[in-house]
């Protein structure tokens, strides 16, 4: 092989690693909570399983100025929410992003997100070797999780 063909092979391998890696990550039951006109933030929820283990290192969407992974947890008697730069996805384990726990936070919304529409989300993952890959999703907008019991409310899902 010449130098040029080796470079082409390396570039092809680098491009292939993203999509191949993304196939080892499964996202289920994804949804984004509906909003009303003027509301500036909402949450996104899903279950993520990484076959080989990975880390969720980023999220983006054109509908929000800011999209981050957040964690809600009790500190004493106060529920606190904070952004987390990285969410570990242990090999074979399902990590649930849900109300009251880890979730996606979409802030500075550019428009209302009405029920029965979809939101494009791009998740960025990193494997154990530091190789990054993205996964593009179209996520339904809903009042409650898909398959939730009739009458379930977002407040009930937060358990407070």
């Amino acid at each position: 092989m010449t130098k040029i063909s080796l470079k082409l092979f390396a570039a092809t391998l680098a491009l292939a690693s993203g999509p191949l890696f993304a196939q080892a990550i499964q996202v289920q039951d994804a949804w984004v909570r509906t909003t009303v006109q003027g509301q500036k933030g909402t949450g996104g929820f899903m279950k993520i399983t990484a076959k080989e283990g990975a880390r969720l290192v980023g999220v983006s969407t054109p509908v929000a100025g800011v999209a981050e992974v957040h964690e809600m947890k009790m500190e004493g008697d106060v529920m606190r929410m904070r952004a987390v730069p990285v969410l570990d996805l242990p090999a074979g384990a399902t990590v649930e992003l849900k109300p009251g726990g880890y979730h996606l936070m979409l802030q500075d919304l550019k428009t209302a997100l009405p029920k029965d529409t979809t939101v494009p989300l791009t998740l960025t993952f990193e494997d154990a070797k530091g190789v990054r890959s993205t996964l593009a999703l179209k996520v339904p907008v809903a009042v409650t999780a898909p398959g939730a019991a009739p009458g379930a409310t977002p407040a009930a899902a937060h358990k407070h």
Side-chain angles (χ1 to χ4, degrees):
M1 284 188 177
T2 68
K3 267 188 175 177
I4 293 173
S5 61
L6 282 175
K7 285 181 181 179
L8 180 58
F9 175 76
T12 303
L13 184 59
L15 290 172
S17 65
L20 293 175
F21 174 60
Q23 290 174 4
I25 295 177
Q26 183 179 30
V27 174
Q28 296 178 291
D29 303 330
W31 66 288
V32 169
R33 183 168 289 133
T34 188
T35 66
V36 294
Q37 194 63 38
Q39 187 174 337
K40 291 298 179 186
T42 193
F45 314 99
M46 63 192 65
K47 295 174 186 169
I48 305 172
T49 306
K51 183 178 177 184
E52 302 295 326
R55 302 175 342 147
L56 177 59
V57 296
V59 59
S60 63
T61 179
V63 302
V66 177
E68 301 172 319
V69 178
H70 278 210
E71 174 186 30
M72 288 185 76
K73 68 178 181 178
M74 290 297 293
E75 290 182 2
D77 293 338
V78 178
M79 179 67 86
R80 301 219 186 257
M81 182 171 64
R82 68 179 180 92
V84 292
V86 173
L87 179 61
D88 288 324
L89 305 169
T94 298
V95 175
E96 188 172 4
L97 281 64
K98 62 185 179 180
Y102 288 110
H103 60 280
L104 302 181
M105 192 70 208
L106 309 181
Q107 300 174 61
D108 297 331
L109 293 174
K110 298 175 182 177
T111 187
L113 304 178
K115 182 181 176 203
D116 298 327
T117 59
T118 59
V119 171
L121 290 175
T122 301
L123 305 177
T124 302
F125 299 97
E126 187 174 272
D127 70 9
K129 296 176 184 174
V131 175
R132 288 194 174 203
S133 179
T134 59
L135 182 60
L137 304 169
K138 287 216 180 261
V139 178
V141 177
V143 176
T144 59
T153 63
H158 280 289
K159 300 179 183 171
H160 57 83

